[in-house]
Amino acid sequence: MKFLGISFAPLLVPLHRRLETFAVAQWCILFLVGGLFCFLFLLYLLTTSFYWVTILAYIWFYIDWHTSHRGGRRSKWMVTSRFWRHMANYFPARLHKTADLDLKHNYMFGFHPHGVMGIGAFISFGTDATDFSKKFPGLKPTLLILSQQFYFPLWRDYLMSVAICDVNRESVDYTLGKCGESGNAVIIVVGGAIESLEAHPNSHTLYLKGRKGFVKRAIIHGAHLVPVYSFGETDIYEQIPNPPGSRLKWFQTKMTKILGFAPPIFHGRGIFNYTMGIIPYRKPINTVVGKPIAISKDTSPSQEKVDRIHQEYVESLETLFEENKTKYGVDPDKHLTLT
C-alpha cells in the first residue's frame, strides 16, 4: 500500500519476516543510541529512590574498565542465540571461506568495507549467526569496534556479551599475544569510521593505502593476515551524495576528526514501510574470508618490512575481490578504489 509517496508494508506478513525485521531493528537502534540511552537511564535513576543502581553501575564500570581490552566477557548463549540468525536471514547474510585456518596460529582479519554500520562484520564475527564456529572450528573470533561505544555502563556489558571488544592496541596485543593462547582471530574494520562516508550502493572505495598499523601489530605478534571482503555491505543503505570537494564531505570529514566517528547522512526503510527509516534494505551480504598470508614474528619490524607486507596484503585483497565479485552481483567492470 502506498500513501503520500510512502510504501507501507502489508499487514499480513509471515511471522519469520516480522522476527527478522525486529532483530535488525533492535541492533540498528541500539547501535546508534544504545550508549546514550543507558547514560540517560542511569542519570534518571539518580533522581529516584533507585539512585544506588547508578552508583553501583559506575563503580562496576571503574572496576571492570580493562575487560573490554582483554578479551571481553562473551556469553555462549548470546553469541549463538537464534535471535541473531533471524538478523542474518533478513538480508540474507552469509559467510564464505576460501581456505582452512590452522589453529596453531593466531590471525588478524582485515574486514572491508566498513559500510554504514559494519553490519556484515557484526553478524559474521560478533555472533555465530552465519556458522563461523562450523566453518572455522576451534577458532575464537573477536570483533574490535569503536572505543567510544565502551564509555557507557550497561551498554558496554551488552556489547561484551557477544564477541566484541574495544579497538585499540591493548586489545590486539592481549588477544594475539598476552593471553598466551593460539587459535585466536582479531577482526578489525580497517577503513575505520571515515570509510562509512564512502558507503554508497555499488561503491567499492576503501581507505587502505595509509592504514598500516594493523599490519605492524600482526608482524609483532606473528599473526597471519587474512583479508575479508563483504559484498553487499555498501548496498543496504542509501546515503546523501557527498562527492570529494563538496561542502558536505568537508563538514563530515571535519566532524569525524573532532568526534572520532563519522556522521553519514543515510536512510533505509522503516519497520512498517519500505521508503524511509534507519532499517537497512533487504539486500544480500556475502562476507568472504580470504587465504591467510603467513607472517613470521618480528618484535621490531622495519618500515620497509611493514610496507612490503602491506603491499602483499593489498594485492591479496584485490585478488579476493576480483575472484568473487561476479558471484555476488558486482559488475565485471567494477574494481576496488583504494585511497
Side-chain angles (χ1 to χ4, degrees), residues 189-253:
V189 184
V190 177
I194 191 70
E195 195 175 85
S196 66
L197 301 179
E198 307 297 336
H200 297 275
N202 301 313
S203 172
H204 303 281
T205 300
L206 307 180
Y207 281 75
L208 182 56
K209 285 185 177 180
R211 303 295 172 108
K212 300 180 181 181
F214 76 104
V215 173
K216 185 175 181 179
R217 301 319 296 177
I219 297 172
I220 288 173
H221 294 288
H224 293 194
L225 282 165
V226 181
V228 179
Y229 198 86
S230 190
F231 294 91
E233 188 73 41
T234 59
D235 297 332
I236 58 178
Y237 282 110
E238 297 281 352
Q239 189 171 168
I240 291 179
N242 56 348
S246 66
R247 290 184 179 180
L248 177 57
K249 189 61 168 289
W250 175 88
F251 173 77
Q252 290 174 318
T253 303

Side-chain angles (χ1 to χ4, degrees), residues 145-166:
I145 68 170
L146 198 65
S147 297
Q148 286 91 325
Q149 293 277 13
F150 295 89
Y151 293 170
F152 304 97
L154 303 184
W155 173 237
R156 69 192 299 273
D157 295 286
Y158 179 76
L159 291 174
M160 288 191 292
S161 69
V162 289
I164 291 180
C165 282
D166 189 346

Side-chain angles (χ1 to χ4, degrees), residues 27 31 67-72 74 107-111 114 117-118 121-122 125-127 140-150 159-160 162-176 185-193 214 217:
W27 174 252
F31 182 85
T67 301
S68 64
H69 313 149
R70 298 175 183 172
R74 74 188 68 192
Y107 298 89
M108 173 84 79
F109 285 27
F111 182 91
H114 185 287
M117 295 188 195
F122 171 71
F125 304 115
T127 78
K140 183 180 178 181
T142 302
L143 175 64
L144 304 185
I145 68 170
L146 198 65
S147 297
Q148 286 91 325
Q149 293 277 13
F150 295 89
L159 291 174
M160 288 191 292
V162 289
I164 291 180
C165 282
D166 189 346
V167 62
N168 58 31
R169 182 178 297 182
E170 186 178 351
S171 288
V172 173
D173 290 346
Y174 179 85
T175 306
L176 298 182
V186 166
I187 298 89
I188 293 181
V189 184
V190 177
F214 76 104
R217 301 319 296 177

Side-chain angles (χ1 to χ4, degrees), residues 12 56 65 71 73 105 124 145-146 184 212 230-231 251:
L12 298 178
L56 288 178
W65 172 253
R73 191 170 43 249
H105 305 290
S124 291
I145 68 170
L146 198 65
N184 285 305
K212 300 180 181 181
S230 190
F231 294 91
F251 173 77

